[in-house]
Amino acid sequence: MTEPRFDRVLITGAAGRLGTELRRGLAPLARELRLADRAPILELRPNETAMIFDLADEAACHAACAGVDAVVHFGGTPHEAPWAEILDSSIRGSYHIYEGARRAGVRRIVYASSVHAVGFHRLEDHVDAAAPVRPDSLYGVSKCFTEALARLYWDKFGIESACLRIFSSFPEPGDRRNLWSWLSFGDCVRLVEAALTAPRVGHTIAFGMSDNPVKPVDDRLARHLGFVPQDGTAPFRARVEAAVPPGDPAAPSVMYLGGRICAAGHPEDRDEGQL
Amino acid sequence: MTEPRFDRVLITGAAGRLGTELRRGLAPLARELRLADRAPILELRPNETAMIFDLADEAACHAACAGVDAVVHFGGTPHEAPWAEILDSSIRGSYHIYEGARRAGVRRIVYASSVHAVGFHRLEDHVDAAAPVRPDSLYGVSKCFTEALARLYWDKFGIESACLRIFSSFPEPGDRRNLWSWLSFGDCVRLVEAALTAPRVGHTIAFGMSDNPVKPVDDRLARHLGFVPQDGTAPFRARVEAAVPPGDPAAPSVMYLGGRICAAGHPEDRDEGQL
Amino acid sequence: MTEPRFDRVLITGAAGRLGTELRRGLAPLARELRLADRAPILELRPNETAMIFDLADEAACHAACAGVDAVVHFGGTPHEAPWAEILDSSIRGSYHIYEGARRAGVRRIVYASSVHAVGFHRLEDHVDAAAPVRPDSLYGVSKCFTEALARLYWDKFGIESACLRIFSSFPEPGDRRNLWSWLSFGDCVRLVEAALTAPRVGHTIAFGMSDNPVKPVDDRLARHLGFVPQDGTAPFRARVEAAVPPGDPAAPSVMYLGGRICAAGHPEDRDEGQL
Amino acid sequence: MTEPRFDRVLITGAAGRLGTELRRGLAPLARELRLADRAPILELRPNETAMIFDLADEAACHAACAGVDAVVHFGGTPHEAPWAEILDSSIRGSYHIYEGARRAGVRRIVYASSVHAVGFHRLEDHVDAAAPVRPDSLYGVSKCFTEALARLYWDKFGIESACLRIFSSFPEPGDRRNLWSWLSFGDCVRLVEAALTAPRVGHTIAFGMSDNPVKPVDDRLARHLGFVPQDGTAPFRARVEAAVPPGDPAAPSVMYLGGRICAAGHPEDRDEGQL
Amino acid sequence: MTEPRFDRVLITGAAGRLGTELRRGLAPLARELRLADRAPILELRPNETAMIFDLADEAACHAACAGVDAVVHFGGTPHEAPWAEILDSSIRGSYHIYEGARRAGVRRIVYASSVHAVGFHRLEDHVDAAAPVRPDSLYGVSKCFTEALARLYWDKFGIESACLRIFSSFPEPGDRRNLWSWLSFGDCVRLVEAALTAPRVGHTIAFGMSDNPVKPVDDRLARHLGFVPQDGTAPFRARVEAAVPPGDPAAPSVMYLGGRICAAGHPEDRDEGQL
Amino acid sequence: MTEPRFDRVLITGAAGRLGTELRRGLAPLARELRLADRAPILELRPNETAMIFDLADEAACHAACAGVDAVVHFGGTPHEAPWAEILDSSIRGSYHIYEGARRAGVRRIVYASSVHAVGFHRLEDHVDAAAPVRPDSLYGVSKCFTEALARLYWDKFGIESACLRIFSSFPEPGDRRNLWSWLSFGDCVRLVEAALTAPRVGHTIAFGMSDNPVKPVDDRLARHLGFVPQDGTAPFRARVEAAVPPGDPAAPSVMYLGGRICAAGHPEDRDEGQL
């Protein structure tokens, strides 16, 4: 495209790991990126504006949505957490953003859902986006909530949503599970860009993984987004396998899509359950 | 059974329309029915005890779950409502009950989900329990939330749930949609009883309808509950059709499972959207 | 219903075997039955009017549709025939009726499709209404044509169609295939009545069979019509089996839904291929 | 039928529990029942002849098949057993019968397969006959073997087989699992009769259960057999539930179709694993 | 192949846009290409012969089929048109070709079907070749007719057909829909060649699209043809998107596979409905 | 990996065509390859040890499994054979290996199953690994037996199995069927390596084919193995097609996955039925 597709795009969670990548990657798509986070957002570029607030703040969420063409909603707690935190940042926060978008006339939202919405499916199940949810954590339940909310806002209010079930987006694959679950930063940006610019999204659920050799899910129901991964874990395999011993195929952390969170207890029982 | 299957069963929403039926119908199943509601519960019988509290009260929910063998969770707002009410009674309330059940060692929960979790599917889609959710309201989204939560509590904590997607449970079918959506009070009690006593429930989603001639959903994935409806709308058809003119097959209120709620706007836009 | 659902219903093929049954059975549904056929229609009752014309006559078809609320389209060649006859009566004729209905503002059409649209599926395939067509004759191809036309007229013009794939509708089952393929006249009328009065039809394909013990197809995708068969072949079995020897399970006439038409050649090769 | 459908039908396992029922129930279907077992067959009726041999005896099996129209193959070890026994009676024995049938020109075989061919599916999976096998024992593996052999003999040699996956066929349901798994003797005979007389069987896999309220499998792919169960466990429920306490829904013996055999070890490890 | 696979191949519609490409591309496959069209066919090459006739001319169609090994049937109206034209060129014409092929002993036909046979499916439906037809025009209905006719001619007369549902075959993608719907001329020829030379075709329905990033349909049921697209729209995207503004995702012309024809009225209502 | 994944891997059938390839290809994966065959194993390398025995020898099989980490079970008759040979080498032999593995605590087995377990499916059926078996030979039945046995040993005893349904593994494609059925030796080794090293196998059925243009099966249910074929038949096509004339698409040897074995009779009828 010779000029930006959008006038203004809101990115929530803009101070986070992926938010930082998205600032850079999505810059060509919009004249202005409006960045939102509760943490400070550093090194603003000329095409960027920042708004600092908590997603639990309804009025601030509505204000952030005003005047934008599209929302890239990557904010909220990024891993398992106590209920109060999940409730405020992921459930109430997502409702505030969707309702803000509705009131502001936003037409499309790209939402950072997660593999943890379906974490209790097994690798060999090869689920597609139509499979029933099987969350592996309160965090995962909150992703199911927002996917359902997004479905309502499409069916009833005509706001399109691409819910991206991101697996593991890090600079490099760090363990054996990442050898199949990795989404490179580059592919993450490409996936969001595809979701923003696809001709029709409706309510789409897509799996966010790079082109890794081991493929435990079937992404065919998102092929209309036009996402074509460019990266994969093949070059990293030898190094990772040398560093990390094989897991037990019958261990929940190996057998389930969600990995070790599936083996963790309730977040309020003890200090565990991190992503 | 010659003696009650359970020592103590908690019924939430016990003061409501269906709660009242359940008090009567489930009495033979338990030595004691513990009844919970935020409204007063009238005319307690000897086998009943009452606890009056709001589902938003976490501690009260946990207390209500202590010492019970099973929970019949019919509490919470029974129709579309503003977000704050949905959030407190259906989302926070259901979490409080599930977490209370987990802490108390309860093994099985029967949950009053709703057709409105899948209200935007069409009659001719004949969805089964594995179809993706398509909520038709914030109320419906909260049902999706609790179904997902129930899935987590089964997969991770071993608590069984039967999520009953009740269609229209009234004394008699009142309009043309009810001719296919009706669940008689008798069948409602039979369905809950089946869910409480089935040999294995795991996480089951069942559709709650009587044996009506027009059948818009496929309940085969709940056949292991052993529910066999005894009622149906055939005897009511002539009267209802004489009293209510036919609807437009292309109107959302006729074409979608959810009925007229599908045509209603956002509950905070105007005073509409009642079930 | 205490009074007729429709003001005027057009029945094509009204002089035929099934048309005669429909005249009697549908009488209570409409103030007037407009009967069409190219053969004379005998013994008109007070609530009936007759129009005699060939379905190949476009203008006559359009005239017949004017002023009616619904069409029961049972006209056209009822069995395999040379191409010219199929073309005129089933293909051109059906187009004339659908286009006449569109111009007249008719909202619903009940069409006599046939098992022969899917005649080359096997009994043990248990096809449902979503299975690809496999016509067994030019006659069957013309049924596929009209079903596709009906789909267009619903998707584009909002005219509902119930395409009833009638198997074998005779006074009594006459051979061993009829023991599973039979549709009693009473059930045929009930099926048409259900299709005319169902709350929503959209584009529905239904299989027309009575409640016979041997069931080779799966009719679940038409359950929203509310058809409940009252008859079945169990009482006829002993007599039929005594009169007709068993067939070879590997013979096309036994293995395929379409029966002996599947084993017949092209209708222009020789004088065979009758239904 | 006014006269027998078959001249001569071979029943293997005729001295067993079900064989005895079949002798009585199938008598009207054949002029002669040829009964085979390795145990003595008592009280021969005029229409019966007996052959005593072991299924491991190839020549005897071939001789037994000579001159018969159909085979009802209920012979072989009826429960889990050491490999040598399974091999001889169920694997080698079934091969001998199928090959004997082929050489003798027999056209149809009704085979007593078992739920144990799919015993490791869960109740809530609602498997149909097309689901992958999941045997729960060496016994179950031998049933898979014979079902596969039967498939070959149909596809290649044109011999029809109905493989009946019998659940629990006893005089009465004896435990809580039987409340859903029971096949009454009467229904067992009806199922075999349906399989023998259906117009086309090809290679059919059917589930053998009475019309019990709890239904854990989906038998729709066998509906062309025409089997309509007449019995069910509803009348037995109160008595069984009073006598047997509920099981743990998470125990293998409750969660899997195969019941307690799923929890048993290898038959050669210790003296367990009986059906 | 070192020498032509076929002696003589008939190409109908040989004067059309795709016909011209096929003349060039298929030349190596046959000693002689017999070219048919009602328009003049220019610049005949030595391996080509021409026959000029209308597809409505039955005798001419039969004559054209005589002596050929295979037919590439690309003739007939290439877009929505009044019924009389659709009837003559697409319905009667296709019947004439199929019946001509049958009489001449032709063994394989490659038919230019169209996306418009399934035009009312949505992009996100990701239909495969087994999905029910949803034509978007009379033109589309005629494609459904011919696909059904082809099915009959395979099941009954053993003539193989590959029905290629061509999306948009132009020199270059011209609008945003073409970015996913484009079939390059090169890929079109490769697809026809694959269909002509595949080891077994039976009755195959294939989707004709190049390897474009956005993929709205699932072509796995045609993988046995061996078609591997070599082109795609990625190189054209920037230019097209700069020239054409985005569409409304909720507009029929964007949401449905058929594009703007889905939004057009009846061809006889007004002068619209062009492809 | 910088060092071998396994201490010791047993390869049965090590003297065979594929065994020889596996010796070379799998060497880097294990400190020691234990090679088993009933034929002599030539040119042992330092990392190899040999055991010569027949798979019908239970004690020898158990001994061969002792002390190994994984088994690559490629032994047994590699083509159709008389029953006695199939029984001994494929049925009894596979049982001996699985039971030996269980007693020795082996955790994973890679089994050389075969296309002939599903040989009677058609190319255009595009079966996946969940499709019902349709063996085309006694050889194929024995593969079904071992796949079922492997399922039991996973479900009950926790031993993982990858059952590789190898199509045609030869140095080069030799006939037209091989153009789609070929598995290059390199890809065969890659597939076994993937199966040995995948993070989780459970019970997986994979199709063993190279990346050939014509694809008659759908391997998506094995994507978690991480097998990525590197070879294909495109370079061989011209040469093969020049040397071998096309087959009849309606011949069993062309229409079925199993090829000419589908057209062969019983191995004991005459000297035919070789792979």
Side-chain angles (χ1 to χ4, degrees), chain E residues 37-63:
Chain E
D37 209 303
R38 62 181 177 187
I41 298 170
L42 306 177
E43 301 178 23
L44 283 186
R45 302 191 188 87
N47 69 321
E48 295 176 333
T49 57
M51 297 177 72
I52 308 302
F53 60 89
D54 195 292
L55 289 166
D57 179 343
E58 181 179 33
C61 288
H62 291 195

Side-chain angles (χ1 to χ4, degrees), chain A residues 171-253:
Chain A
E172 288 192 3
D175 61 22
R176 285 179 176 246
R177 178 171 170 269
N178 289 174
L179 288 178
W180 57 260
S181 69
W182 189 55
L183 177 69
S184 75
F185 284 162
D187 281 343
C188 183
V189 169
R190 275 182 281 272
L191 176 54
V192 173
E193 180 179 341
L196 281 171
T197 62
R200 175 172 162 90
V201 165
H203 178 269
T204 296
I205 292 173
F207 294 112
M209 272 187 294
S210 287
D211 184 19
N212 308 320
V214 167
K215 297 185 196 311
V217 291
D218 180 343
D219 200 37
R220 79 182 192 288
L221 294 176
R223 291 276 148 72
H224 56 293
L225 295 186
F227 168 54
V228 184
Q230 304 292 318
D231 300 316
T233 57
F236 301 92
R237 184 176 180 186
R239 193 173 68 208
V240 169
E241 291 190 346
V244 188
D248 174 0
S253 60

Side-chain angles (χ1 to χ4, degrees), chain E residues 113-196:
Chain E
S113 184
S114 164
V115 59
H116 298 292
V118 289
F120 265 114
H121 286 289
R122 295 182 183 82
L123 277 76
E124 68 268 32
D125 293 341
H126 294 277
V127 291
D128 63 23
V133 295
R134 294 189 72 171
D136 55 22
S137 50
L138 297 178
Y139 171 72
V141 171
S142 77
K143 296 299 182 182
C144 300
F145 164 82
T146 307
E147 290 183 355
L149 186 73
R151 181 84 239 188
L152 172 68
Y153 273 68
W154 166 240
D155 281 335
K156 192 164 230 172
F157 305 120
I159 301 175
E160 294 186 294
S161 281
C163 299
L164 312 179
R165 289 180 179 164
I166 293 171
F167 278 64
S168 307
S169 203
F170 297 102
E172 287 192 4
D175 61 22
R176 285 179 176 247
R177 178 172 170 269
N178 290 175
L179 288 178
W180 57 258
S181 69
W182 190 55
L183 176 69
S184 75
F185 284 162
D187 281 343
C188 183
V189 169
R190 274 182 282 272
L191 176 55
V192 174
E193 180 179 342
L196 281 172

